[in-house]
Amino acid sequence: MSQQYRLQEAKGDAVCFVPGSPLFSVLMEPASFCYPRLTFLRSPYGQFGASAGSSQDLAPWPQRLVQQRWSRPVDESPPAAMSRNGYFFEESGYLKCDTDDAKEEAANEELFDGVNSTIVSADSIRFFVNVNLEGAPSATAESEGAGCVLLHTSRKYLKLKNFEEEVRAQRDLDGFLARASIILDETATSLDDVLREMLKHFAEDPENMEPSCNFEKIMNTLFTDSGTPREGNGTLDGSESPGMNAQSYPAHLKFHLLSDTIQGVTATVTGVQYQQSWLCIICTIKSLQRRHVCISRLERPQNWGENSCEVRFVILVLAPPKMKSTKTATEVGRTFATMFSDITFRQKLLETKTEEEFKEALVHQRHLLTVANQRPSGRKDGHTSHGSKQLKLHDFLSIGKGISDDIARRFPVYALDFTDGIIGNNKAIGKYITTMIFLYFACLLPAIAFGSLNDENTRGAIDVRKTIFGQCIGGLLYALFSGQPLVVLLTTAPLALYINVIQGICDDYNLDFSAFYAWIGLWNSFFLVIYSLFNVSLLMKLFKRSTEEIIALFISITFVLDAIKGIVKVFKKYYHNDPTVDGKSRADAIPGLGINTSFLMNSSMNENQTCTQDGHYGRETAVLSLMLMLGTLWLGHTLYQFKKSPYLHARVREILSDCALPISVLTFSVVGSFIFNEIEMSKFNYNASDSLFVLAPVQSLSIGSVMSAMGLGFLLSMLFFIEQNIVASLTNAPENRLVKGTAYHWDLLLVALINTGLSVFGLPWIHAAFPHSPMHVRALAYVEERVESGHIYETIVSVKETRLTSLMANFLVGLSLLLLPLPLQWIPKPVLFGLFLYIALTSIDGNQLFERVALLLKEQTAYPPTHYIRRVPQRKIHYFTGLQVLQLLILCGFGMSPLPYMKMIFPLIMIGMIPIRYNLLPRIIEAKYLDAMDAEY
């Protein structure tokens, strides 16, 4: 059945066939169809469709097509890889676009600039069919799948580059303009020839010389068949298929496709539309020494296959593999792809006549993109604690407004704080149990440590028993009535400092400690109530992220230094047999702002047990203490990171990670107290107090003493105000993805009321603790690992916001009073050292200041693709980091001073960091860079 079908008309590269012909009547509804560049390879029925405008014997083609296609409805899309007798059809080969005659005949218009990769039945359809044949078919070949290869395709979305914020966008274009490689009106028609001309242009340009580079190897690397051994000698009959290399072929036809490209797409209700007039090709070459970019403008639009039917511009980006994350081939390609995604800009490039005009168009487009991305003045960092509006005077004169807003925000979800994770589909009972156990140990052990410290400093007025009881009462009240129950209240090292100073003042002026302590606490609560009523917490908006992280890192450093000082004193006493270690003055009682390490000495041990006759008994104690401290740190941190390992089941790994702290403490407590029970270890002091509820004799002080207590109470209130709000801000940070809202003013008022009762009964004060509060959030969070530019980072997906974990943990802390003195005294003090090191190490996880300090020790290729790496020049990043470190050293100088009274004013040093950030730093670093580094993302 040989039948001839004449061509009705020809339009450029498109061939229109007579409606109703067998070839198309079986495919679509009868209509006039445009068929761009119909190219068929070898066929058992002869060569046909070799070029547009030719008339070939098409009779056998419909017959073979009908046999394999018409078991499906007419309007159903073909399968992705239909194969019968050597014919392969791609599902994505059918593309939709407008074929309006006016557009079709207009010069320099991008007819295929918005093509939809879906099949529709319409009167006007353009499509591309890719048919790969390998020779005469056979039944054996069909059954065995001979000639089949696997093609791995990976797609991902890239954000358009922000020319106003990302500094590399400007620098990429500047680097290109400095040694521009531009080809205008390229006459080559095949993709291979165009790329060869671009590589040849590289080779001939003296400014882009790469002496050790083989451009033929680069050419091969650009395609998917790179590295495939060329076996056999196959040839192509008829015109060369787009993108195919016609020089030599293996026994079966290889898939000669581009490996890595960037194209512009637009999501519509009918599918994804591709911008078909430009193509960005990126490639990483090991032998290159620097990055190269070449832009080629083709003389005529070229059809190179699916989603590239009308290509006028080709951007080729080559880069070496060892590059900074913002300088990779993908990032450079993203810069130029963002520019070429504008159709108006592409039309301007078509009108340019010379390279200089082409460059001017690039510079003008950069200016337009920079202006378009500029945002209104104001906060750009996305990080605010209480809202983003500017502060005004009437915000502070609206008495109680902040408290009422907090209650209105949190009260509607109050019941959910008890039911979330317990009732419903998304139960998290297991996570609640592990978090409760972690929080119990995280609250109990510091209470024991600071209680023992206060016991020594106050000569038993505030002891371990009172500290644990105060922690229980204050923690329960805060967990029940706070606006943000994920914040953890504890007595902290700065509070131990104040208590020690108060005891010294009482000794110097013959004052009753309980009464003077109570009045200072009452004045502190009074000022906190004033702060909450007049919405003073709004001032925390002035604390930028960088300032908060300086304070957070300062607290972590105090934990580390105190643990080190403690173990050093253990060695002095037991290893070097220094008898002067115990003879210390009160000024030495707090060597730093943190924990008084001397209380971790073996004060309960008799002095005659320090050494045995051979003189090495104390050395064994010192060495074992060091092992217990480091062992607690090692085991705790190893289990904390165990969730990232491939061992055991995911749920088991998560449980071990959440219970890292209690497991490590219990393990090495057993090691120190039972396995090595013949070696005497230092334990905390315990002196049972007569009663927990003894009212302080506040009426016994004179008016002058009460007024002097007001001054100390004001300084203490500044510490409470800063610590409470900064810890709450770090807890409510946007990256934690909390959804129930904040309550800064109400929580500050609640802390004031709680500490009023604690002051009257002589119990230690408590406020929000770092890093326990962020660690509490982390324990309740669902975390995912993500990869960006080869860097693995963790991100919080959601957090179970509940009151149950804090309630149960503080309730168990209260029950621990029944465990005094034993078995709690079986916990050696070196284990507490390891606990503090563990807390310090885990608290720096995610601290941006610490990460930027670590950048100084890394090569640029290892820099993570963070927001500040993209937006801020590297030198400015290091300047800013250095200035932060300088502020940190100043803060440490006051907070860790050997002079107790100097330590008391360190809250004022924290407040003094605000004018430094707003007035001094902008004179050194541009404000936009400061805002970028203070941003969350």
Side-chain angles (χ1 to χ4, degrees):
M1 324 178 18
S2 178
Q3 184 178 356
Q4 299 289 335
Y5 295 93
R6 296 181 178 274
L7 301 178
Q8 185 183 37
E9 59 176 326
K11 296 182 179 180
D13 289 336
V15 180
C16 297
F17 291 86
V18 178
S21 64
L23 175 60
F24 290 94
S25 62
V26 297
L27 288 174
M28 304 284 183
E29 297 176 358
S32 176
F33 296 92
C34 292
Y35 193 24
R37 272 206 186 174
L38 176 61
T39 303
F40 295 121
L41 308 182
R42 219 183 281 140
S43 165
Y45 298 95
Q47 176 183 334
F48 50 88
S51 61
S54 63
S55 177
Q56 301 289 345
D57 186 4
L58 302 180
W61 169 250
Q63 293 181 359
R64 305 301 302 177
L65 188 62
V66 171
Q67 293 178 12
Q68 68 175 28
R69 179 168 175 81
W70 286 135
S71 60
R72 300 174 180 270
V74 172
D75 60 348
E76 183 176 339
S77 60
M82 288 174 50
S83 174
R84 183 179 179 87
N85 294 336
Y87 297 104
F88 294 84
F89 298 85
E90 295 182 352
E91 179 178 356
S92 58
Y94 292 80
L95 309 174
K96 173 189 174 183
C97 73
D98 296 329
T99 55
D100 186 88
D101 289 338
K103 292 183 180 179
E104 202 170 25
E105 296 174 0
N108 295 331
E109 287 199 7
E110 303 176 3
L111 301 179
F112 292 84
D113 200 44
V115 179
N116 193 325
S117 298
T118 55
I119 298 180
V120 295
S121 178
D123 293 339
S124 180
I125 296 181
R126 293 185 183 271
F127 59 94
F128 171 84
V129 181
N130 183 12
V131 182
N132 295 318
L133 307 176
E134 56 176 279
S138 64
T140 304
E142 283 187 23
S143 60
E144 296 180 358
C148 177
V149 297
L150 301 179
L151 180 65
H152 176 216
T153 302
S154 178
R155 291 188 177 95
K156 66 177 181 179
Y157 283 103
L158 295 177
K159 292 182 179 179
L160 293 174
K161 191 156 261 188
N162 190 317
F163 275 68
E164 197 270 334
E165 292 184 350
E166 299 188 52
V167 293
R168 289 309 315 179
Q170 308 281 347
R171 296 187 177 185
D172 288 341
L173 185 57
D174 289 338
F176 173 75
L177 295 175
R179 51 180 189 275
S181 183
I182 301 173
I183 302 176
L184 299 180
D185 299 328
E186 173 61 52
T187 57
T189 58
S190 69
L191 176 59
D192 292 58
D193 292 340
V194 171
L195 292 176
R196 283 195 178 89
E197 289 297 325
M198 299 174 79
L199 294 175
K200 182 180 177 182
H201 196 269
F202 277 138
E204 295 176 351
D205 189 351
E207 295 184 357
N208 294 312
M209 289 295 292
E210 290 283 354
S212 61
C213 187
N214 188 327
F215 285 97
E216 187 60 33
K217 290 184 179 180
I218 296 178
M219 183 67 189
N220 295 332
T221 308
L222 295 173
F223 294 92
T224 55
D225 55 0
S226 173
T228 304
R230 297 186 175 273
E231 302 172 355
N233 292 317
T235 59
L236 281 176
D237 292 334
S239 63
E240 180 183 336
S241 180
M244 303 295 294
N245 189 341
Q247 293 181 356
S248 61
Y249 288 87
H252 61 279
L253 194 63
K254 292 186 300 181
F255 287 87
H256 192 66
L257 306 174
L258 289 171
S259 298
D260 209 349
T261 62
I262 299 177
Q263 275 187 280
V265 296
T266 303
T268 64
V269 293
T270 57
V272 176
Q273 290 185 341
Y274 284 78
Q275 294 181 352
Q276 311 239 352
S277 63
W278 63 275
L279 183 65
C280 181
I281 305 169
I282 59 178
C283 186
T284 300
I285 307 296
K286 292 182 179 180
S287 58
L288 292 180
Q289 297 179 358
R290 61 183 181 182
R291 298 170 299 160
H292 299 276
V293 180
C294 181
I295 301 177
S296 179
R297 186 183 70 186
L298 307 184
E299 185 179 29
R300 296 182 59 195
Q302 299 298 326
N303 181 2
W304 287 337
E306 177 191 1
N307 303 328
S308 301
C309 296
E310 194 80 1
V311 179
R312 290 298 304 270
F313 299 97
V314 179
I315 306 107
L316 177 61
V317 179
L318 306 176
K322 287 290 185 178
M323 295 296 293
K324 188 179 176 181
S325 59
T326 55
K327 298 180 181 180
T328 60
T330 302
E331 287 298 315
V332 178
R334 193 164 70 96
T335 298
F336 289 94
T338 301
M339 301 179 72
F340 276 82
S341 62
D342 186 357
I343 187 172
T344 305
F345 169 64
R346 297 196 299 271
Q347 292 289 353
K348 289 182 180 179
L349 292 182
L350 290 175
E351 298 170 0
T352 58
K353 305 298 182 182
T354 63
E355 287 191 14
E356 291 303 322
E357 293 180 3
F358 199 96
K359 293 179 182 179
E360 290 176 1
L362 290 171
V363 174
H364 181 67
Q365 179 68 6
R366 174 176 64 180
H367 172 72
L368 294 179
L369 290 174
T370 303
V371 173
N373 289 323
Q374 286 181 348
R375 293 185 289 182
S377 59
R379 292 184 64 91
K380 300 181 182 181
D381 51 35
H383 175 60
T384 115
S385 300
H386 312 279
S388 57
K389 66 177 184 179
Q390 296 294 325
L391 294 178
K392 297 179 180 179
L393 181 60
H394 69 80
D395 292 333
F396 302 100
L397 299 180
S398 302
I399 300 177
K401 184 178 185 301
I403 296 175
S404 60
D405 290 345
D406 290 343
I407 295 175
R409 184 185 307 114
R410 289 292 305 189
F411 185 74
V413 296
Y414 182 78
L416 297 178
D417 292 338
F418 295 92
T419 59
D420 281 353
I422 301 296
I423 301 175
N425 297 326
N426 300 321
K427 291 184 173 62
I429 299 177
K431 181 172 281 293
Y432 285 1
I433 293 175
T434 56
T435 303
M436 176 195 66
I437 296 173
F438 153 75
L439 197 59
Y440 165 66
F441 279 87
C443 293
L444 176 64
L445 297 180
I448 292 174
F450 293 120
S452 181
L453 169 61
N454 292 327
D455 186 23
E456 293 182 4
N457 291 338
T458 63
R459 293 187 290 275
I462 300 177
D463 57 7
V464 174
R465 191 159 172 255
K466 283 189 174 182
T467 304
I468 293 178
F469 184 74
Q471 173 64 44
C472 172
I473 296 300
L476 286 175
L477 290 175
Y478 192 83
L480 280 173
F481 302 111
S482 66
Q484 181 49 272
L486 299 184
V487 172
V488 178
L489 298 191
L490 288 175
T491 185
T492 61
L495 295 179
L497 160 70
Y498 271 78
I499 292 175
N500 181 58
V501 172
I502 292 170
Q503 180 64 56
I505 294 175
C506 291
D507 292 342
D508 293 338
Y509 294 95
N510 262 335
L511 300 175
D512 182 87
F513 172 79
S514 298
F516 196 60
Y517 176 84
W519 272 111
I520 293 175
L522 291 175
W523 280 116
N524 167 60
S525 297
F526 170 76
F527 286 115
L528 291 180
V529 171
I530 296 297
Y531 300 156
S532 59
L533 290 176
F534 286 91
N535 312 317
V536 181
S537 292
L538 291 175
L539 290 176
M540 294 304 297
K541 183 185 297 186
L542 302 177
F543 277 81
K544 298 279 191 173
R545 176 191 176 113
S546 57
T547 307
E548 295 173 355
E549 291 189 336
I550 290 173
I551 298 174
L553 193 56
F554 164 74
I555 297 174
S556 300
I557 291 174
T558 60
F559 277 107
V560 174
L561 291 181
D562 291 329
I564 293 175
K565 289 178 182 178
I567 201 67
V568 166
K569 288 195 173 182
V570 169
F571 267 76
K572 284 183 178 180
K573 181 175 181 180
Y574 293 105
Y575 195 86
H576 298 289
N577 302 323
D578 187 356
T580 63
V581 173
D582 288 333
K584 54 187 180 296
S585 64
R586 181 174 292 108
D588 296 328
I590 302 183
L593 177 63
I595 307 159
N596 179 357
T597 56
S598 63
F599 87 91
L600 297 170
M601 304 295 296
N602 185 10
S603 56
S604 63
M605 186 191 305
N606 294 328
E607 299 217 21
N608 58 2
Q609 294 177 327
T610 303
C611 300
T612 60
Q613 292 180 354
D614 58 5
H616 292 285
Y617 185 80
R619 292 188 176 184
E620 293 175 353
T621 300
V623 173
L624 181 59
S625 298
L626 179 63
M627 293 176 60
L628 293 178
M629 180 187 74
L630 297 180
T632 304
L633 171 64
W634 168 78
L635 181 60
H637 191 261
T638 300
L639 292 178
Y640 179 74
Q641 298 291 336
F642 193 72
K643 57 187 174 183
K644 300 179 182 179
S645 70
Y647 304 106
L648 303 181
H649 189 270
R651 181 56 185 159
V652 177
R653 295 197 301 266
E654 184 179 1
I655 293 175
L656 291 176
S657 178
D658 292 340
C659 297
L661 176 61
I663 291 175
S664 61
V665 169
L666 293 177
T667 299
F668 283 92
S669 295
V670 171
V671 171
S673 298
F674 294 97
I675 297 180
F676 294 96
N677 57 355
E678 69 278 4
I679 301 178
E680 189 72 21
M681 293 300 300
S682 59
K683 297 178 174 62
F684 64 86
N685 291 331
Y686 174 72
N687 299 314
S689 56
D690 297 333
S691 175
L692 294 175
F693 297 98
V694 178
L695 286 174
V698 294
Q699 71 281 358
S700 63
L701 294 183
S702 64
I703 298 297
S705 299
V706 172
M707 297 308 295
S708 63
M710 182 178 67
L712 293 175
F714 173 74
L715 292 176
L716 184 61
S717 70
M718 297 301 296
L719 173 65
F720 267 76
F721 175 78
I722 294 175
E723 291 274 356
Q724 178 70 32
N725 282 284
I726 284 184
V727 172
S729 179
L730 293 173
T731 303
N732 292 302
E735 61 264 27
N736 290 337
R737 302 182 187 276
L738 303 183
V739 297
K740 292 185 179 179
T742 61
Y744 293 88
H745 312 282
W746 166 251
D747 286 351
L748 189 63
L749 176 63
L750 182 61
V751 168
L753 298 177
I754 290 174
N755 281 278
T756 300
L758 297 178
S759 301
V760 171
F761 288 102
L763 301 177
W765 302 308
I766 58 176
H767 60 62
F770 179 87
H772 302 75
S773 300
M775 291 173 67
H776 186 202
V777 175
R778 193 80 173 182
L780 290 171
Y782 291 95
V783 181
E784 284 185 357
E785 281 192 351
R786 297 180 180 176
V787 180
E788 183 178 357
S789 300
H791 295 267
I792 301 176
Y793 67 97
E794 290 185 343
T795 181
I796 293 178
V797 178
S798 63
V799 176
K800 289 294 183 182
E801 301 180 51
T802 181
R803 299 177 185 271
L804 298 179
T805 53
S806 184
L807 273 173
M808 292 305 300
N810 285 284
F811 177 74
L812 292 177
V813 169
L815 292 181
S816 299
L817 290 171
L818 304 176
L819 304 179
L820 286 173
L822 295 176
L824 288 183
Q825 267 197 328
W826 289 340
I827 301 176
K829 288 183 178 178
V831 173
L832 298 179
F833 293 161
L835 164 70
F836 300 140
L837 290 178
Y838 168 82
I839 291 175
L841 186 61
T842 54
S843 67
I844 63 177
D845 187 19
N847 188 293
Q848 192 184 108
L849 171 58
F850 182 80
E851 293 175 353
R852 282 189 273 107
V853 171
L855 291 181
L856 298 173
L857 306 177
K858 295 180 180 179
E859 59 177 350
Q860 291 190 5
T861 56
Y863 282 14
T866 56
H867 64 278
Y868 54 86
I869 293 292
R870 295 183 183 277
R871 300 179 186 178
V872 185
Q874 181 177 326
R875 183 175 300 176
K876 302 292 185 181
I877 293 176
H878 295 327
Y879 285 167
F880 183 70
T881 303
L883 293 171
Q884 277 188 291
V885 172
L886 181 59
Q887 296 177 72
L888 178 62
L889 293 176
I890 295 174
L891 191 60
C892 291
F894 281 88
M896 300 176 185
S897 170
L899 303 176
Y901 292 97
M902 184 176 290
K903 299 175 187 177
M904 297 186 66
I905 65 172
F906 91 96
L908 301 178
I909 305 301
M910 294 183 183
I911 296 177
M913 297 167 66
I914 296 178
I916 292 177
R917 169 61 180 83
Y918 282 91
N919 299 323
L920 179 59
L921 293 187
R923 298 177 182 271
I924 304 174
I925 303 173
E926 291 88 333
K928 65 176 182 179
Y929 295 145
L930 292 175
D931 290 337
M933 285 182 285
D934 277 329
E936 297 293 345
Y937 49 87

